[in-house]
Amino acid sequence: MTVSLEQLRRCHVAVDLGAARTRVYVKGAGLVVDQPSVAAVNIRNGALIAVGEFAEQMTGRTPDYIRVTRPVSGGTVVDIDMAQRMLRHLLGEKLRRQLRRKPRLRAAACTPHEADPLAQRATVETLVGLGARRVELVDTLIAAAVGCGLPVEQPTATMIMMCGAATTQVAVLSLGSIVTAARIPVGGEAVDHAVIQHLRHQHELMLPSQSVRPLQIALSENGLTPQGPSTTEIHGRDVATGLARSVRVDTAAVRDAIHTPLTAVLDSIGRILRDCPPDLVADLGDRGIMMVGGSALLPGLDQMLRDSTGMPVHIAERPDVCAVQGLGEMMEGNIASMVLSPLTT
C-alpha cells in the first residue's frame, strides 16, 4: 500500500469511508461531504430512501419495511453496492457531473493500518463503481498525521492516536513511515456501549443510543476526570415497565465503566513504546501524543492518557477531519517529499 506523493498529486478526489462518517475532498474545492455513513432502504422494493444525517435520525424509528444500514464497519466497506449508492447520493448529481468530466478520474482513499487485501479491494471497487479509473490507497495514520500538521517527514518520532468509532489505531512515525503501530478493536462505540450496559445493569434504565451520545449525557462537562458533581441525572426508559424514568447516577461508577474498554488502548500504547528504539522514545517524551479522530473529543480521554503515560497529550484542532484533510493536502501538492539520495564517493 505504498503510494508516492507524485501519484497522489494526480488524484482528483479523496474519500475517507469511516464507520461513523463519510468525508469527501475534491481537489480545488476542499471538503464537500461530511455526513454519517448511514443509509435507509425500503426492503420491499430495494429503493434508497435517505442517506447521511436524515438516515441517521431514522435509526430506531422506522416501520418494519425500512431498514437502516451502515455499509462501512471499522473503516472497511462491508456492503460495496450500498456504499456506492450512499456515496452517489451524498455527492449529488451536480458534483458527480463535474467529476465525470475529469479525464481518467483518479481517487485516493484512506484504509486502516494493516488492512487485509479483501478490505483494500472492497474500498477500490467502491470507488471504481463511481467512475474512478485508478484508486490510490493511503494508510489512515499517515494521512491523519499530515492533516494535523505533524512533521512526519523529519527524522524525529511522532506518535499519533486515531480514535475512531469502531477501532483505535496508534502509531509512531518517523521519516514519513510507520515505525511501529497497533490497531485495537475499541472505539467510541465501545465506550458508549459500556455506559449503556452500566445503566441497564445497575439502574435498569435503557438509553436511546442512536439518537444521543449517552456518554456526554452521563458525564456532562466533567469527562473522565473526578472533578465536578458526584451525581448526574439521566433520563431513559425503565427496563421492566417501559415507562420514561429519571435516575441520579454516580459519575465515579460511570467513569469506572468507561475505563474498562479503554484499558486495551492503554496497554497497546505501552507495547508500542516498548517496541520503539530508545532514541525515538526520548523524542516522544518531548513531543507527546497527538490525538485525532471523532472519538478524540471524548471528555477527559486526553487527561487519562497523560496520567497513564506521563507524556504530553494534544488534540488536533479539527480531529474528526484530519485524515481526509491530509489526503487533500497531498493531492493539492502542499506537502514536499523528503528525498533520501545515496551518497557518492
Side-chain angles (χ1 to χ4, degrees):
M1 200 169 59
T2 302
V3 57
S4 67
L5 284 174
E6 187 60 34
Q7 290 172 310
L8 287 174
R9 291 191 187 104
R10 299 194 188 108
C11 293
H12 306 97
V13 60
V15 179
D16 178 17
L17 284 167
R21 299 185 74 87
T22 293
R23 298 176 177 93
V24 179
Y25 185 105
V26 175
K27 192 172 186 177
L31 188 64
V32 296
V33 173
D34 185 2
Q35 293 279 338
S37 303
V38 187
V41 185
N42 186 329
I43 60 177
R44 293 175 178 172
N45 54 22
L48 191 64
I49 297 174
V51 296
E53 291 181 356
F54 187 41
E56 189 174 50
Q57 293 172 5
M58 297 169 64
T59 305
R61 299 181 173 91
T62 61
D64 293 339
Y65 65 91
I66 296 179
R67 179 168 58 94
V68 178
T69 180
R70 290 181 176 270
V72 184
S73 176
T76 301
V77 178
V78 294
D79 188 338
I80 296 175
D81 178 64
M82 188 57 62
Q84 289 176 349
R85 297 174 68 184
M86 179 186 72
L87 271 174
R88 287 193 192 100
H89 283 78
L90 289 177
L91 288 171
E93 182 61 31
K94 181 179 179 181
L95 186 55
R96 292 207 310 274
R97 283 200 304 267
Q98 293 176 358
L99 293 176
R100 282 198 294 266
R101 296 193 191 105
K102 303 287 185 182
R104 295 190 60 83
L105 178 66
R106 289 175 175 245
C110 296
T111 55
H113 179 66
E114 292 184 346
D116 60 78
L118 287 177
Q120 296 180 27
R121 183 176 180 83
T123 302
V124 171
E125 289 186 4
T126 299
L127 298 182
V128 167
L130 293 175
R133 303 293 295 274
R134 184 182 175 92
V135 179
E136 309 290 356
L137 299 179
V138 180
D139 196 301
T140 304
L141 292 166
I142 294 179
V146 172
C148 64
L150 291 178
V152 293
E153 75 284 354
Q154 298 299 319
T156 55
T158 55
M159 177 177 276
I160 187 166
M161 180 174 172
M162 185 78 181
C163 308
T167 60
T168 299
Q169 303 173 68
V170 188
V172 175
L173 309 176
S174 181
L175 289 174
S177 299
I178 295 175
V179 178
T180 179
R183 185 180 175 192
I184 311 102
V186 175
E189 293 175 353
V191 174
D192 287 349
H193 182 70
V195 176
I196 292 171
Q197 291 300 105
H198 170 78
L199 296 175
R200 183 185 180 96
H201 294 154
Q202 299 299 322
H203 301 278
E204 296 184 347
L205 193 74
M206 293 183 65
L207 289 181
S209 58
Q210 288 83 10
S211 60
V212 296
R213 282 298 301 264
L215 175 68
Q216 295 176 359
I217 289 179
L219 298 180
S220 185
E221 299 177 356
N222 305 320
L224 308 183
T225 58
Q227 286 78 24
S230 59
T231 61
T232 302
E233 186 175 16
I234 298 181
H235 307 281
R237 191 184 75 182
D238 189 276
V239 173
T241 65
L243 301 176
R245 183 163 65 92
S246 299
V247 298
R248 295 200 69 86
V249 300
D250 182 9
T251 54
V254 177
R255 284 195 298 271
D256 291 340
I258 290 171
H259 276 261
T260 301
L262 294 178
T263 302
V265 177
L266 299 178
D267 291 342
S268 296
I269 293 177
R271 287 197 302 270
I272 287 175
L273 293 175
R274 288 193 294 271
D275 293 341
C276 270
D279 291 340
L280 295 183
V281 175
D283 291 341
L284 295 176
D286 297 329
R287 292 179 173 272
I289 305 172
M290 177 64 75
M291 295 175 60
V292 298
S295 297
L297 300 174
L298 199 66
L301 178 58
D302 54 340
Q303 187 59 46
M304 179 181 170
L305 290 176
R306 291 188 192 98
D307 295 339
S308 60
T309 63
M311 295 192 302
V313 178
H314 314 281
I315 301 178
E317 184 176 352
R318 293 193 63 190
D320 52 338
V321 297
C322 282
V324 73
Q325 288 285 9
L327 286 179
E329 290 289 320
M330 290 185 278
M331 278 198 318
E332 302 282 4
N334 298 331
I335 305 299
S337 59
M338 181 178 176
V339 180
L340 297 177
S341 302
L343 298 176
T344 57
T345 56

